[in-house]
Amino acid sequence: MPDNSADYEDADELQPTFDEDDHPARVWNLLWLINPGDEDAALQQFDAWREARAGAEDDPSDESWLWDLKDAIDWRAGFYVDWKDTDSFVAALQELAARWNLGIDWGGDLDDEDFAEDLDVPALMSIAYDRLREHGYSVWNWNTGGDAYAGWIALSRDDEAMMALCSLLGVEVRPGSDPF
């Protein structure tokens, strides 16, 4: 057999090269992870984030970029709710899951006071995490440092990538089964 190995490109040459400190590229990768299969939505959110960041110092250690990202993705690819606002949390997660034609079985009727009286946002987040894992998705939450819960949903197969990327971004995240 002839040696035609010169006809193939080296796999290392095909890898994209990013500056190690390219913060916007990392934010783009995060948006890509939380908008699986929807590059248009990721691009719209990235543009909204960049517009919010216009004129701001691009200092990744300053967490204002994360709050701008929260605003860019809220109810489209992420959630942010008050610690006691179970109704908004349920509505946000239902909205996010609907992007993939999924509904969340909360384990009972949330309109039933007897069922819902003992539920709080962390319990609901854990339920959503379990139900969405059954379909290949993971609920993530990040440390807001306050009395609120925030996060997003990504494909479960990307769990390790999510942890690695958030570590590079300096964002403390946990799976929805372990809310802050």
Side-chain angles (χ1 to χ4, degrees):
M1 301 276 301
D3 180 15
N4 62 351
S5 61
D7 294 340
Y8 299 100
E9 295 180 44
D10 185 9
D12 291 336
E13 292 175 12
L14 299 176
Q15 297 298 317
T17 56
F18 293 111
D19 182 4
E20 204 169 300
D21 296 325
D22 193 352
H23 190 257
R26 291 178 181 161
V27 171
W28 167 252
N29 286 327
L30 178 61
L31 288 168
W32 183 254
L33 288 177
I34 65 176
N35 289 285
D38 194 349
E39 185 176 352
D40 290 338
L43 188 55
Q44 289 171 1
Q45 293 159 24
F46 187 65
D47 287 343
W49 176 76
R50 285 193 311 188
E51 186 175 307
R53 302 295 301 156
E57 180 88 17
D58 192 25
D59 179 8
S61 64
D62 172 17
E63 289 189 3
S64 65
W65 72 268
L66 183 57
W67 294 98
D68 290 335
L69 181 67
K70 175 206 69 85
D71 293 340
I73 67 172
D74 204 22
W75 284 78
R76 291 177 283 200
F79 62 89
Y80 181 84
V81 297
D82 188 63
W83 69 274
K84 62 185 178 202
D85 193 352
T86 57
D87 292 337
S88 291
F89 179 77
V90 167
L93 268 281
Q94 292 286 49
E95 181 80 20
L96 296 177
R99 299 182 301 164
W100 305 290
N101 296 320
L102 297 174
I104 299 171
D105 177 5
W106 299 101
D109 183 4
L110 294 173
D111 293 328
D112 178 7
E113 289 181 20
D114 291 334
F115 173 73
E117 73 181 336
D118 293 329
L119 293 176
D120 57 7
V121 173
L124 290 167
M125 191 181 311
S126 186
I127 292 169
Y129 176 83
D130 291 341
R131 295 295 76 81
L132 291 173
R133 291 287 290 187
E134 295 169 358
H135 300 282
Y137 294 91
S138 294
V139 176
W140 291 91
N141 69 116
W142 53 273
N143 188 357
T144 64
D147 291 338
Y149 293 95
W152 43 69
I153 300 171
L155 289 170
S156 299
R157 71 175 187 220
D158 294 330
D159 286 355
E160 287 183 29
M162 179 66 71
M163 291 295 293
L165 182 58
C166 288
S167 176
L168 288 172
L169 286 166
V171 178
E172 186 179 1
V173 296
R174 291 184 188 163
S177 59
D178 184 23
F180 285 97

